[in-house]
């Protein structure tokens, strides 16, 4: 454990880059497949242990990711890097299997309203749909990551009880998830609530199997991530340049920016294996492809510094 003040923090953190999926899924204008592929390859080069590449969901629901099979066929698969994809049902699993995917992510909401809006079914139905997918993944040697959405608030129902999240996370582990990522889909969480959530979920799922997935809508993502580090969480999802949101959570902005997370962890002396320069260049690449400035404050500061030095 690295010491910071009197609090012991994890020495190493594993970062899952979700920009190509969670980030791009929220873009209205269709991003060319070539750009997605180049972005994924650049992120793998930056040192991420996992780059969530796309989703095998209904193209009617998320048109941006309709090219999932093409993306998977064209990326360079760097040894040691996982390229998980989102899968909601057996149809998605079959697509992922045909695309030689090595890891899938199953997502379940913590509230009934969000479950209906996001996947057109109840929480119980989505867990029922998940069971055969877990079994098929196991039979095909694929790892399964679980996600719980709306863990710190729902756009339709407001507050969410930590015990509800705990029970869904525990069910995902029972089904075979090697890890459960706790998603603050709309970014309304704050540090105290985050700590209470992690401590509550850890009653049923070991903290080593938990990941934090914080959207930054209210500017709290990095603080919530720090509160999770203090609670012993050592895996976090982040999105290059702070891309993204969820199309079924209106107004939700991107995940915590990868550049901001790496800067924080570097400052704390926590190893996350990412090369900031390669990451920053990947961020510049996608930001210019989308014709916008990166949402990451760290990326903007480093880009300005690098421009001034030239
Ligand atoms: P449905 O309309 O109820 O599905 O959607 P259905 O089974 O009735 O099928 C309807 C049509 O979709 C059929 O086609 C199916 O073949 C097709 P048709 O006969 O009409 O031509 N279909 C599919 N096509 C491709 N791939 C599939 C698939 N499944 C059915 N897998 C469904 C139900 C779950 C499919 C839909 O609601 C869906 O795709 N939802 C995904 C929504 C989504 O991707 N949301 C964003 C990701 S979650 C998120 O961002 C949160 C997270 O980041 C964590 C956090 O922040 O908290 C993970
Ligand atoms: Mg998300």
């Amino acid at each position: 454990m690295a010491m910071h003040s009197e609090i012991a923090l994890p020495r190493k953190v594993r970062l899952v880059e979700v920009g190509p999926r969670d980030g791009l899924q929220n873009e209205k204008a269709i991003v060319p497949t070539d750009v997605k592929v180049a972005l994924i390859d650049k992120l793998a080069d930056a040192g991420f242990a996992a780059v969530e590449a796309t989703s095998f969901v209904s193209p009617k629901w998320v048109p941006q990711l309709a090219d999932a099979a093409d993306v998977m066929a064209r990326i360079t698969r760097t040894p040691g890097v996982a390229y998980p994809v989102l899968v909601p049902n057996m149809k998605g699993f079959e697509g992922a299997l045909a695309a030689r995917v090595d890891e899938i992510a199953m997502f379940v909401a913590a509230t009934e309203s969000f479950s209906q809006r996001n996947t057109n079914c109840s929480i119980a139905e989505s867990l029922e749909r998940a069971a055969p997918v877990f079994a098929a993944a196991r039979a095909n040697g694929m790892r399964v990551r679980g996600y719980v959405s709306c863990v710190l608030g729902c756009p339709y129902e407001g507050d969410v009880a930590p015990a509800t999240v705990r029970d869904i996370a525990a069910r995902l582990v029972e089904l075979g998830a090697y890890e459960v990522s706790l998603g603050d889909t709309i970014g309304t969480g704050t540090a105290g609530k985050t700590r209470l959530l992690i401590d509550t979920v850890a009653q049923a799922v070991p903290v080593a199997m938990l990941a934090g997935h914080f959207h930054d809508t209210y500017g709290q993502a990095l603080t919530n991530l720090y509160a999770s580090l203090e609670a012993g969480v050592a895996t976090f999802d982040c999105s290059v340049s702070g891309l993204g949101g969820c199309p079924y959570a209106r107004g939700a902005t991107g995940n915590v920016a990868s550049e901001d997370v790496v800067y924080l962890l570097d400052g704390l002396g926590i190893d996350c294996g990412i090369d900031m320069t390669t990451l920053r260049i990947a961020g510049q690449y996608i930001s210019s492809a989308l014709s916008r400035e990166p949402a990451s404050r760290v990326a903007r500061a480093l880009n300005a510094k690098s421009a001034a030095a030239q």
Side-chain angles (χ1 to χ4, degrees), residues 106-226:
M106 297 287 312
F107 51 108
V108 177
T111 67
E112 293 296 346
S113 318
F114 193 76
S115 186
Q116 289 294 346
R117 304 283 176 120
N118 198 37
T119 49
N120 203 23
C121 65
S122 68
I123 297 172
E125 282 163 346
S126 70
L127 286 165
E128 274 162 35
R129 277 181 194 170
V133 179
F134 272 97
R138 192 174 315 115
N140 285 279
M142 278 183 206
R143 298 212 301 173
V144 186
R145 190 170 200 240
Y147 270 112
V148 186
S149 299
C150 294
V151 298
L152 289 165
C154 170
Y156 312 104
E157 296 183 23
D159 285 347
V160 172
T164 305
V165 179
R166 176 193 64 203
D167 296 348
I168 296 170
R171 180 68 191 131
L172 286 168
V173 170
E174 241 172 59
L175 286 167
Y178 75 90
E179 178 171 279
V180 179
S181 180
L182 302 174
D184 184 11
T185 317
I186 54 169
T188 51
T190 48
K193 284 186 176 169
T194 301
R195 179 66 198 243
L196 177 65
L197 174 75
I198 304 289
D199 291 347
T200 306
V201 178
Q203 294 164 357
V205 178
V207 77
M209 291 176 77
L210 297 178
H213 177 108
F214 298 108
H215 283 262
D216 202 28
T217 321
Y218 286 77
Q220 303 299 305
L222 212 50
T223 316
N224 295 341
L225 187 149
Y226 189 82

Side-chain angles (χ1 to χ4, degrees), residues 6-7 33 43 62 79 99 106 111 122 125 127 154 158 162 176 183 209 214 228 237 247 256 265 285 290 293 300:
E6 282 100 52
I7 298 155
T33 306
L43 292 167
V62 184
M106 297 287 312
T111 67
S122 68
E125 282 163 346
L127 286 165
C154 170
M209 291 176 77
F214 298 108
S228 313
D237 301 349
V256 65
L265 296 176
Y285 170 77
L290 297 171
E293 282 293 300
R300 291 207 299 256

Side-chain angles (χ1 to χ4, degrees), residues 13-20 22-23 43 46 48 184 187 212-226 236-245 253-266 272 274 276 279-280 282-284 286-287 292-303:
V13 154
R14 176 172 162 267
L15 294 180
V16 177
E17 168 59 55
V18 297
D22 202 350
L43 292 167
F48 287 99
D184 184 11
H213 177 108
F214 298 108
H215 283 262
D216 202 28
T217 321
Y218 286 77
Q220 303 299 305
L222 212 50
T223 316
N224 295 341
L225 187 149
Y226 189 82
F236 296 98
D237 301 349
C238 53
S239 177
V240 61
S241 279
L243 292 177
T253 61
N255 270 91
V256 65
S258 307
E259 296 90 330
D260 296 6
V261 176
V262 172
Y263 186 82
L264 171 72
L265 296 176
D266 283 353
C272 65
I274 308 298
M276 179 66 105
L279 171 61
R280 186 175 66 77
Q284 274 182 322
I286 192 62
S287 300
R292 76 171 68 120
E293 282 293 300
S296 161
R297 302 273 289 269
V298 167
R300 291 207 299 256
L302 292 177
N303 288 345

